[in-house]
Amino acid sequence: MARVRYGARTERENAATRTAGARLSGLWSTGVVAVWETDPDAVAAVLPRPLKPTARPLVRAAISRADLRGQPLGAGSFAVAAAHGPVRGWYPLVMPMTRERDLSGGREVFGEPKKLGAVTVERDGLVVRASMARHGIAFVEVRGAVSGPLPLPGPVRRTDFCFKFLPAVNGRGFDGDPLLVHCVRDEKVRRLERVTGDVVLRESVYDPVADFPVLRLVEITIGEKTGDQRGRVVERVDPRALLPFLHQRYDEPFQALDAPPAATGGR
């Protein structure tokens, strides 16, 4: 009988898969990052407990691209500044990815709010344009011109706060307590330039980032970086505290909120 490809894999095959995954940690990407101050009430409104706002209501939009064995890979993140106890970091609201394989790992392992989307980073001489789009709407666009080099920072460590959970089989709540995960990313930068420009936020029903207006632009940069990420479960979360925020994760939240038995099938 020919091999059944859905069958169990050998340890050698699994080791080869792990080796291929490890090579991704050395991948260099070109990315545009915009940071701005926004409405503090808007930031506070989107943070599930136990996360709290920081003293400065910041938004960070990061849009990057890389080439993986000749195939383009796009990744985006729209996050607000947050704190968990003494730890300061970012709470991502949406993270569009251009490929399914890059989406599922972060979403299922770390609880990152990744969704399939279009991610664009373009540079023509000094002119820069980067965007994140879904459902035909470029809900974030960063545009401008490179205005000069910036000093290279040392190794940078960034923490994202993510909630890992499974909606309940019966459509009511969760299967088990949600987990708060600290996703820690260590980055190295080999090129960094300042961009003079602006940020455009477009109205989208599915990605309502227009609720975080640019009140004061802090910086826009373009650079080349690499990094690796690891996660740590830091605590279990009260399901009642997280349930009102379930719609942040799904375009159609009714599928996981009090869904009737007939709607939870699919067979």
Side-chain angles (χ1 to χ4, degrees):
M1 181 181 71
R3 180 179 181 186
V4 179
R5 285 166 291 179
Y6 273 123
R9 289 187 172 183
T10 66
E11 177 54 34
R12 177 177 293 182
E13 289 172 316
N14 285 334
T17 300
R18 288 192 294 269
T19 299
R23 287 198 291 268
L24 293 177
S25 63
L27 186 67
W28 288 88
S29 65
T30 298
V32 173
V33 177
V35 179
W36 65 91
E37 289 184 355
T38 192
D39 181 354
D41 292 336
V43 173
V46 300
L47 296 177
R49 297 195 311 269
L51 301 183
K52 295 182 178 180
T54 58
R56 197 176 183 191
L58 295 177
V59 177
R60 182 179 187 270
I63 309 168
S64 64
R65 69 149 194 254
D67 290 318
L68 180 60
R69 294 187 289 273
Q71 297 183 355
L73 185 161
S77 174
F78 187 97
V80 298
H84 178 226
V87 181
R88 299 294 185 269
W90 300 93
Y91 177 58
L93 293 170
V94 60
M95 301 176 73
M97 308 292 292
T98 56
R99 302 193 310 174
E100 175 71 25
R101 68 173 302 278
D102 305 301
L103 178 154
S104 58
R107 186 175 60 191
E108 296 171 12
V109 175
F110 299 110
E112 294 173 314
K114 291 186 173 181
K115 300 177 181 179
L116 283 175
V119 180
T120 303
V121 178
E122 300 171 336
R123 178 170 181 173
D124 184 4
L126 298 179
V127 178
V128 173
R129 177 186 175 273
S131 67
M132 295 184 273
R134 293 197 321 119
H135 301 288
I137 300 173
F139 56 91
V140 177
E141 181 178 352
V142 182
R143 57 197 185 187
V146 174
S147 53
L150 290 169
L152 293 183
V156 176
R157 173 166 293 181
R158 190 182 74 248
T159 300
D160 282 355
F161 305 118
C162 300
F163 292 95
K164 183 176 180 179
F165 57 82
L166 286 174
V169 172
N170 65 7
R172 295 173 175 85
F174 303 100
D175 280 333
D177 291 341
L179 306 174
L180 175 58
V181 178
H182 286 191
C183 296
V184 179
R185 183 170 179 83
D186 290 313
E187 295 179 343
K188 297 178 182 178
V189 179
R190 68 182 182 187
R191 184 176 182 179
L192 190 65
E193 296 171 285
R194 181 185 299 104
V195 174
T196 301
D198 60 3
V199 177
V200 178
L201 305 176
R202 295 187 175 90
E203 180 59 38
S204 169
V205 173
Y206 295 106
D207 303 290
V209 300
D211 293 343
F212 301 90
V214 182
L215 299 184
R216 191 179 82 82
L217 187 61
V218 177
E219 66 174 2
I220 302 175
T221 61
I222 184 170
E224 296 178 4
K225 64 184 179 182
T226 187
D228 58 70
Q229 180 170 295
R230 61 191 183 278
R232 181 171 65 93
V233 174
V234 294
E235 69 173 88
R236 295 184 179 274
V237 177
D238 182 352
R240 294 168 297 180
L242 187 59
L243 194 60
F245 298 90
L246 191 66
H247 63 283
Q248 293 177 347
R249 184 69 56 90
Y250 303 106
D251 286 351
E252 304 292 349
F254 66 83
Q255 294 176 340
L257 288 170
D258 294 327
T264 60
R267 286 181 287 182

